[in-house]
Amino acid sequence: MHWQTLTFFGDSMLLLPSAVVMAFALFYNTSRFATVIAWLGSFGVAGLVVSISKVLFLGFLIGSARYNFTGFSGHTTMSTTFWPIFFWFIARGFALKRPLTLVFIGYLFALAIAYSRLVLHAHSPSEVISGFLLGACCSLAFLALQRKVAFKPINAVELIIIIALPLTLFLQGKPATTQHFLGTLAAKIAGMEHPHTRQQLLSLDQ
């Protein structure tokens, strides 16, 4: 398996614009601003918590040397927030009898993306596990709020429109520079020349 390809499905370059498209699709299919707000809120909270955890480490060396934790895995968190909802949206739009089956598939897909972060040595197990739990809490909270929301049916053309942007971004395959941006921001906030590194944290436990 090409792990770099799989991990891109959790990259913010793909998921951020896809989340915006999902917001428009949700409003079109439910005609409820509350649903859109709930979606953007859950996705936004996930991203905010990840960003704060990374800034705290990169700028102030706040993490755990014992558990090799430098912040929530962003790819894992955002994947676990987005993909179960994406598959849920398809299931509801096509009025499938067991929409939770597709939700489960969404979590399995997010789990595969999470595993790719370990294979690529981008994160430690604690960062991936905590990221998966954070993303699951955000997506499950959204799903809990939408239990009784009525859906308009969607057709194949509408589905193609919805996946057109994510597909285009995937084919381009250009990862976001989020980590670099957060590192620069954290160093500026902390008044440092360079952000902290994982090696500095682990050295504290020696």
Side-chain angles (χ1 to χ4, degrees):
M1 178 177 291
H2 198 308
W3 296 107
Q4 199 66 51
T5 299
L6 178 60
T7 208
F8 185 71
F9 282 99
D11 196 276
S12 57
M13 180 65 76
L14 186 150
L15 293 184
L16 285 176
S18 297
V20 175
V21 171
M22 177 62 69
F24 281 105
L26 285 168
F27 182 72
Y28 174 80
N29 281 80
T30 66
S31 301
R32 297 178 77 249
F33 279 112
T35 296
V36 176
I37 292 172
W39 164 240
L40 293 178
S42 61
F43 192 84
V45 166
L48 180 62
V49 173
V50 169
S51 297
I52 290 175
S53 72
K54 289 180 179 292
V55 168
L56 287 175
F57 167 71
L58 293 168
F60 304 95
L61 203 59
I62 297 176
S64 173
R66 179 179 180 182
Y67 295 105
N68 194 9
F69 181 82
T70 65
F72 296 96
S73 166
H75 282 67
T76 303
T77 302
M78 306 317 293
S79 296
T80 315
T81 304
F82 179 83
W83 290 111
I85 306 306
F86 178 82
F87 283 104
W88 166 83
F89 176 84
I90 293 175
R92 290 296 303 273
F94 284 104
L96 300 183
K97 293 182 179 180
R98 297 181 179 179
L100 291 182
T101 300
L102 260 69
V103 172
F104 181 69
I105 292 174
Y107 281 114
L108 288 179
F109 186 42
L111 191 61
I113 295 170
Y115 183 68
S116 75
R117 303 306 288 164
L118 295 175
V119 174
L120 295 171
H121 304 291
H123 285 286
S124 67
S126 66
E127 294 162 354
V128 168
I129 293 171
S130 61
F132 188 86
L133 293 175
L134 173 59
C137 287
C138 292
S139 54
L140 288 173
F142 173 80
L143 290 173
L145 293 172
Q146 309 307 312
R147 295 191 310 275
K148 299 180 181 179
V149 173
F151 252 67
K152 299 175 185 177
I154 63 174
N155 55 44
V157 174
E158 291 169 341
L159 178 61
I160 291 174
I161 293 174
I162 292 169
I163 66 175
L165 178 59
L167 181 60
T168 300
L169 293 171
F170 171 74
L171 292 176
Q172 290 181 348
K174 296 180 179 179
T177 57
T178 309
Q179 186 71 16
H180 176 73
F181 169 76
L182 290 175
T184 303
L185 175 63
K188 186 175 182 179
I189 293 174
M192 303 186 307
E193 188 174 346
H194 300 289
H196 291 295
T197 65
R198 187 183 299 272
Q199 287 70 25
Q200 288 176 288
L201 178 68
L202 296 178
S203 67
L204 298 177
D205 198 36
Q206 294 178 357

